[in-house]
Amino acid sequence: MRRRRRVYKHLPCFDALHTVNPAPANPASPYGTLPPASVPASRRPISLPRLREMHLSGEKITMLTAYDATFAAVADAAGVETILVGDSLGMVCQGLSSTVGVTLETMRYHTESVVRGLRRVQGTAWVIGDLPFGSYHESREQALRSATVLMQAGAHMVKLEGGAWLAETVHFLTERAIPVCAHLGLTPQSVHQLGGYKVQGKSSSAAELLKSDALALQAAGAMLLVLEAIPSALGRETTELLTIPTIGIGAGPDCSGQVLVMHDMLGVFPGRKAKFVKDFMQGQTTIAAAICAYIRAVRDKSFPAPEHCF
Ligand code: KIV
């Protein structure tokens, strides 16, 4: 029997590329239970070569954080290319005052939840698992053990925070088939050393250091670089200097892509809004529509606007 194809017309950013073959209709189930996966997706899964291709062709890469199965599935259905299971979950989900208290076991739990949610909807997003504070600092062997936990939880790549001092670790992991995303600028795991969540790379020496760190990490094998809270000019210069894609959060419009914390993007946070955050729920009636609005704004380069930049 031929299966009917369903186009998710209700999601404004859906196009032909994002047409999926749905699983057979299931009886309604409680708590938003997702349908079991049984039919192959017609979308191509996002891969490192695809991200690189997007970077080279100037197509903006979209990334959102997700910490659970349902939000991951909704973000994937909206067409986001990459999902970061960020250690920001410590603040967003656990109520911690920083990401320093997040453990590897917690990251494993949330990575598994996200990956389970994606598998159930034949998701195609590239999943990045964040290595938490203290899980890669001791030695490259410790980093390998920690990264293995997240890769076996279903992540496609791990992220770690820090500069050239991590080059040996990045090399060790990538040699062992663990793709690595680096993270420079405001690195929240260093909040106590940085003296708060402050814009980084403002002086010319700090900017030069960031660029040389970025080159060292790329040479060591990093395949993606998150740049957080730096002047837009530095975001642009770093992106132009590298061959790997950069993903900005408060790093200006010229990075290869953008990332936001899901809850920030939906305007769900109790405190003061960071300058680089935009509430995409404004003017939308559903979370799916807000995610689509974010994706569209990144792709058409209307986000980040000057008021979101340093
Ligand atoms: O943990 C996280 O969510 C992050 C992003 C803010 C880049 O590192």
Side-chain angles (χ1 to χ4, degrees):
M1 203 175 72
R2 285 190 60 205
R3 217 177 287 285
R4 264 189 322 121
R5 283 159 71 90
R6 180 194 299 160
V7 180
Y8 286 80
K9 286 197 178 117
H10 60 288
L11 296 179
C13 56
F14 251 85
D15 52 25
L17 192 76
H18 297 131
T19 305
V20 297
N21 290 318
N26 283 306
S29 54
Y31 321 126
T33 309
L34 297 162
S38 55
V39 185
S42 56
R43 284 200 269 167
R44 268 185 309 152
I46 300 293
S47 60
L48 280 176
R50 174 67 189 133
L51 294 177
R52 193 178 166 78
E53 185 182 286
M54 290 180 75
H55 166 61
L56 292 175
S57 67
E59 256 181 284
K60 294 289 182 187
I61 298 167
T62 59
M63 182 186 290
L64 274 176
T65 68
Y67 316 113
D68 67 33
T70 306
F71 274 84
V74 171
D76 183 272
V80 81
E81 281 90 22
T82 54
I83 290 179
L84 170 64
V85 190
D87 63 354
S88 50
L89 64 83
M91 294 156 94
V92 172
C93 306
Q94 297 181 290
L96 301 174
S97 58
S98 77
T99 57
V100 174
V102 178
T103 65
L104 184 60
E105 176 51 24
T106 300
M107 292 309 303
R108 183 195 61 75
Y109 173 89
H110 286 275
T111 304
E112 277 184 355
S113 303
V114 162
V115 169
R116 223 178 274 134
L118 292 178
R119 284 197 183 131
R120 284 184 162 199
V121 294
Q122 325 277 299
T124 55
W126 178 258
V127 178
I128 305 171
D130 224 354
L131 286 169
F133 182 79
S135 72
Y136 56 94
H137 303 65
E138 196 178 302
S139 64
R140 52 193 202 166
E141 287 78 12
Q142 184 212 19
L144 176 62
R145 280 193 300 277
S146 302
T148 301
V149 169
L150 298 189
M151 296 296 283
Q152 289 185 335
H156 301 125
M157 173 178 239
V158 297
K159 179 168 84 59
L160 37 71
E161 297 181 9
W165 68 273
L166 279 171
E168 202 187 321
T169 299
V170 170
H171 184 63
F172 195 71
L173 296 182
T174 52
E175 263 193 326
R176 286 160 181 76
I178 298 178
V180 175
C181 173
H183 185 156
L184 291 172
L186 172 55
T187 46
Q189 291 175 11
S190 311
V191 62
H192 300 305
Q193 199 162 37
L194 297 174
Y197 298 101
K198 297 176 179 166
V199 180
Q200 303 295 308
K202 288 204 284 190
S203 69
S204 61
S205 60
E208 286 314 309
L209 180 61
L210 186 142
K211 285 188 274 187
S212 72
D213 278 344
L215 283 172
L217 292 162
Q218 173 179 272
M223 300 297 278
L224 210 54
L225 172 64
V226 167
L227 292 171
E228 181 164 354
I230 58 171
S232 300
L234 182 54
R236 186 188 62 247
E237 286 166 24
T238 310
T239 303
E240 283 170 357
L241 197 63
L242 302 178
T243 54
I244 60 172
T246 60
I247 308 292
I249 172 164
D254 299 312
C255 296
S256 324
Q258 299 290 329
V259 57
L260 279 180
V261 165
M262 175 79 81
H263 294 59
D264 286 350
M265 194 275 295
L266 296 174
V268 187
F269 48 83
R272 202 163 58 89
K273 186 161 72 73
K275 186 174 164 75
F276 53 71
V277 169
K278 178 171 174 184
D279 175 0
F280 282 91
M281 259 326 272
Q282 297 284 324
Q284 307 296 337
T285 52
T286 65
I287 286 173
I291 296 175
C292 286
Y294 164 72
I295 294 172
R296 266 201 313 272
V298 173
R299 289 186 184 157
D300 71 18
K301 305 180 192 169
S302 56
F303 178 79
E307 68 262 29
H308 307 117
C309 299
F310 301 106

